[in-house]
Amino acid sequence: MGIVDYEILRLIWWLFLGVLLIGFAIMDGFDLGVAAQLPFVARTDTERRVAINTIGPVWDGNQVWFILGGGAIFAAWPTIYAAAFSGFYIALFLVLTALIIRPVGFEFRNKIADTRWRSFWDWALTIGGLVPSLVFGVAFGNLLQGVPFTIDGDMRIFYDGSGLFELLNPFGLLAGLVSLFMLVSHGSVYLAVKADGPVRDRAVLVQTVTAPLAVVLFILAGLWLAAGIPGYVIVGEVITNGPSNPLLKQVLVQDGAWMANYAAHPWMWAAPALGVLGPLLALALVRLDRPGLGFIASGSGIFGIISTAGLSMFPFLMPSSLAPQVSLTVWDASSSERTLFVMLICTLIFLPIVLAYTAYAFRVLRGRVTAAQIEHNPTGHY
């Protein structure tokens, strides 16, 4: 295009991909976290309705981040999209099933005033929050270990994995638990902001457990990654503005390679530091009855944890454990220069609209959800 260099466009879309994933984790993550802990924070129907009504009006707007993320991968990184849906097909099917169950639960649970009916949909909402929170982390854990795929000379992708249970390996499960506790803790902070009474009190107790667990498991995953999981490194000349052909490079698998970026750029240590300090600061702020600031701190922790994984892997997006030389990177898995430029213009127009609408919606819906409000409106939507 000549206006923006192809290399810069690729970097911009790598950053945008990170922004969308982090935006999804922060915005949709808190309602996934609330749903996942529903049986623990709410023991009566009124309490469950209090918890559900804190997220019921906003969950569908938060899903926009998930849709934008999927669309960005499809349009900006089509090879990643194809390889991911081959390698993580069953896992993504589980996620989509859970995400489909969730809106049905929101819409149906209050249609019939029957204990068994509502209990069924409450558990459906819990599963709809629990499964995506765990599986997204498992996917990141497997990306860091390499995915068993190859690419032939005609650019056809072949996945040679054994399915879901292969993804549920020890490190993948550890990453999944980091994600789960991170989002449950985030949901607890949100309940501390929006709920009242016993629901809020139990959410604070849940955060007391899940925030330190998320930090401890995050540190454990980092130590495991540094000492026990080989990373990937491009050898020879790196072509940053050439054609999107992952076959035109040489890649070696080396111990400790995932830590090389931190050695070369010490400022990157800010990401894991934020991943550790954010949840702990959120815990302290909630205890000091400053849950609004705690929510910001919790979101900062999510930013740090996800950024740590992205910075560790850069420039790799999807390493191949079978044929490292075909691993997909920022420099060889993107769409054309024209496509990235047109998408950039569209993003610069529409992303501020999404942000403005989100801010407006949360401003309109500000305030706590109380048991008195629920009891005053027993036939409310949620």
Side-chain angles (χ1 to χ4, degrees), residues 61 70 160 165 230 236 272 306:
D160 197 28
F165 290 105
I306 296 177

mmCIF file of all heavy atoms in Angstrom, residues 61 70 160 165 230 236 272 306:
data_model
loop_
_atom_site.group_PDB
_atom_site.id
_atom_site.type_symbol
_atom_site.label_atom_id
_atom_site.label_comp_id
_atom_site.label_asym_id
_atom_site.label_seq_id
_atom_site.Cartn_x
_atom_site.Cartn_y
_atom_site.Cartn_z
ATOM 1 N N GLY A 61 -23.404 -7.882 25.498
ATOM 2 C CA GLY A 61 -22.515 -6.834 25.002
ATOM 3 C C GLY A 61 -21.054 -7.219 25.150
ATOM 4 O O GLY A 61 -20.220 -6.916 24.285
ATOM 5 N N GLY A 70 -12.528 -13.365 17.186
ATOM 6 C CA GLY A 70 -12.644 -14.404 16.168
ATOM 7 C C GLY A 70 -12.588 -13.836 14.766
ATOM 8 O O GLY A 70 -11.932 -14.401 13.876
ATOM 9 N N ASP A 160 -2.095 -33.608 13.289
ATOM 10 C CA ASP A 160 -1.771 -35.005 13.572
ATOM 11 C C ASP A 160 -1.880 -35.313 15.066
ATOM 12 O O ASP A 160 -1.168 -36.165 15.589
ATOM 13 C CB ASP A 160 -0.348 -35.328 13.081
ATOM 14 C CG ASP A 160 -0.109 -36.826 12.980
ATOM 15 O OD1 ASP A 160 -1.087 -37.568 12.770
ATOM 16 O OD2 ASP A 160 1.050 -37.252 13.133
ATOM 17 N N PHE A 165 -7.988 -35.218 24.734
ATOM 18 C CA PHE A 165 -7.200 -35.677 25.879
ATOM 19 C C PHE A 165 -5.717 -35.351 25.705
ATOM 20 O O PHE A 165 -4.984 -35.221 26.692
ATOM 21 C CB PHE A 165 -7.411 -37.175 26.092
ATOM 22 C CG PHE A 165 -8.797 -37.501 26.593
ATOM 23 C CD1 PHE A 165 -9.737 -38.064 25.747
ATOM 24 C CD2 PHE A 165 -9.155 -37.206 27.896
ATOM 25 C CE1 PHE A 165 -11.013 -38.339 26.201
ATOM 26 C CE2 PHE A 165 -10.432 -37.484 28.364
ATOM 27 C CZ PHE A 165 -11.373 -38.048 27.517
ATOM 28 N N PRO A 230 10.839 -26.508 26.221
ATOM 29 C CA PRO A 230 11.646 -25.865 25.175
ATOM 30 C C PRO A 230 10.835 -24.828 24.407
ATOM 31 O O PRO A 230 9.625 -24.980 24.207
ATOM 32 C CB PRO A 230 12.054 -27.037 24.269
ATOM 33 C CG PRO A 230 11.848 -28.262 25.098
ATOM 34 C CD PRO A 230 10.712 -27.966 26.017
ATOM 35 N N GLY A 236 18.867 -17.655 11.316
ATOM 36 C CA GLY A 236 19.115 -17.030 10.026
ATOM 37 C C GLY A 236 18.377 -15.716 9.909
ATOM 38 O O GLY A 236 17.877 -15.149 10.882
ATOM 39 N N PRO A 272 4.826 -9.940 33.509
ATOM 40 C CA PRO A 272 4.631 -10.908 34.591
ATOM 41 C C PRO A 272 4.534 -10.253 35.965
ATOM 42 O O PRO A 272 3.820 -10.764 36.843
ATOM 43 C CB PRO A 272 5.856 -11.825 34.481
ATOM 44 C CG PRO A 272 6.850 -11.088 33.664
ATOM 45 C CD PRO A 272 6.067 -10.217 32.756
ATOM 46 N N ILE A 306 -1.925 -12.443 30.392
ATOM 47 C CA ILE A 306 -2.044 -12.762 28.969
ATOM 48 C C ILE A 306 -0.879 -12.163 28.187
ATOM 49 O O ILE A 306 -0.331 -12.796 27.277
ATOM 50 C CB ILE A 306 -3.392 -12.264 28.421
ATOM 51 C CG1 ILE A 306 -4.545 -13.011 29.108
ATOM 52 C CG2 ILE A 306 -3.474 -12.472 26.901
ATOM 53 C CD1 ILE A 306 -5.917 -12.551 28.695
#
